[in-house]
Amino acid sequence: MPQGPVDASQVPRFAGPDTYARLPRIDQVERADVAIVGVPFDSGVSYRPGARFGPAAVRQGSKLIRPYNPALDVSPFADLQVADAGDIACNPFDIGQAIETIEQAAGEFDARLVTIGGDHTIALPLLRAAAREHGPLALLHFDAHLDTWDTYFGAEYTHGTPFRRAVEEGVLDTEALSHVGIRGPLYGKADLKEDRRLGFGIVTAADVMRRGPDEVAEALRQRIGERPLYISVDIDALDPAHAPGTGTPEAGGLTSRELLEILRGLSGCNLVGADVVEVSPAYDHAEITAVAAAHVAYDLISLFALRRGQA
């Protein structure tokens, strides 16, 4: 029987443990099906820093999460052993070394990972670790930005380059790559051409508004098929009204409801790993961004539980 969150009828939510959703620590359970792991790293950012404090903020924003998810009719903490694995400590001064540390640590878990960042640089080592186990991955990337730059200020490893590096390294299945939520000005039209050359399809934030989450989710499911799927969620996919606490906000984004509904529409996909990144609490208000990110993580955990149940 999985060990779930602390009972809120016995311990008030504001007094419980500082783990995600007040779940047990990974050292308190015999094994974990899903591990929540933080990566407090933001040395790859190009604008506002602070995402190194994201894991702590998302854990704080998760205290009100309850065990039953009515939108997906699943009790993920009862169906799976979910545990908080703490943080991966990595070098804040050496991006290359940090990437190596994250990749090694991620590969040592005998569990599916839902990783809380940290900036989007961390997606590359997480993808490497997942691909070693599952082979080339389908990628569903929620973001305002493409994150497929070649370099920035001459640097190959930043929060704007992880998915180009992942394509170049062969860890992604180029038949099943999708961005969702893209919007805002670019440096030039060549950015879009390069992105298409790498194999990505784009669903803009305006496309989601016009087509609706259900239609978008179905199109994504068709593209993904039964491939092993990694979902990477930059919280700036949400409009700043729904996620002000992030480093590179862009107007005209998704609502938190749209993002959650698209994720829920992916029920049954072969999800093997996920991250939620770029929460920067210094720019947040009333935990708006942290709460949104905590609920995104909850629905990702629920997708793991549904896949287990359907299997």
Side-chain angles (χ1 to χ4, degrees):
M1 183 70 177
Q3 182 179 341
V6 171
D7 186 347
S9 68
Q10 302 296 318
V11 180
R13 295 187 180 278
F14 48 82
D18 289 329
T19 56
Y20 175 84
R22 309 199 322 158
L23 286 161
R25 301 189 313 269
I26 201 164
D27 61 353
Q28 295 175 313
V29 298
E30 292 186 3
R31 61 176 300 276
D33 299 303
V34 176
I36 311 298
V37 60
V39 182
F41 174 85
D42 65 359
S43 299
V45 299
S46 57
Y47 191 43
R48 303 192 305 199
R52 66 182 61 184
F53 301 108
V58 175
R59 288 182 174 110
Q60 174 64 30
S62 72
K63 286 183 177 290
L64 202 58
I65 285 176
R66 299 175 180 88
Y68 174 62
N69 186 337
L72 290 171
D73 188 23
V74 66
S75 298
F77 306 142
D79 296 340
L80 299 172
Q81 181 60 71
V82 187
D84 192 318
D87 291 342
I88 297 172
C90 48
N91 192 327
F93 303 109
D94 187 324
I95 292 178
Q97 187 179 99
I99 287 172
E100 291 178 9
T101 299
I102 296 163
E103 180 181 355
Q104 179 179 351
E108 292 173 354
F109 284 100
D110 185 22
R112 297 286 194 257
L113 297 187
V114 175
T115 306
I116 304 168
D119 76 52
H120 226 151
T121 309
I122 73 171
L124 176 60
L126 295 170
L127 287 166
R128 288 175 178 172
R132 272 204 310 276
E133 180 177 354
H134 302 284
L137 305 166
L139 174 69
L140 178 51
H141 169 221
F142 291 88
D143 205 319
H145 312 96
L146 301 171
D147 290 358
T148 52
W149 283 344
D150 187 13
T151 62
Y152 193 63
F153 282 84
E156 295 183 348
Y157 299 100
T158 76
H159 75 161
T161 64
F163 302 119
R164 179 184 285 257
R165 298 288 91 83
V167 169
E168 292 170 346
E169 294 176 13
V171 302
L172 296 180
D173 183 336
T174 55
E175 296 298 314
L177 308 179
S178 302
H179 304 295
V180 181
I182 303 300
R183 61 190 189 279
L186 299 170
Y187 285 104
K189 197 169 184 178
D191 288 357
L192 296 172
K193 293 180 180 178
E194 279 292 290
D195 194 74
R196 282 195 297 272
R197 184 183 66 79
L198 294 170
F200 281 90
I202 295 176
V203 180
T204 67
D207 290 333
V208 174
M209 179 269 292
R210 293 189 177 100
R211 297 167 61 186
D214 292 346
E215 183 180 325
V216 167
E218 180 56 31
L220 293 170
R221 290 174 63 91
Q222 293 298 320
R223 188 171 176 88
I224 294 162
E226 274 299 306
R227 297 175 176 88
L229 170 65
Y230 189 96
I231 297 177
S232 186
V233 181
D234 186 326
I235 206 64
D236 74 22
L238 300 181
D239 189 87
H242 297 263
T246 192
T248 48
E250 305 279 1
L254 306 180
T255 67
S256 53
R257 180 173 56 243
E258 287 172 331
L259 173 54
L260 293 172
E261 286 301 315
I262 294 171
L263 289 175
R264 292 162 183 167
L266 301 173
S267 171
C269 286
N270 184 21
L271 183 63
V272 299
D275 63 58
V276 186
V277 299
E278 299 284 356
V279 173
S280 188
Y283 308 102
D284 207 2
H285 303 283
E287 296 183 337
I288 294 172
T289 313
V291 168
H295 280 263
V296 168
Y298 179 60
D299 272 13
L300 291 167
I301 297 165
S302 297
L303 293 179
F304 281 124
L306 284 168
R307 177 74 179 188
R308 167 73 69 84
Q310 290 165 358

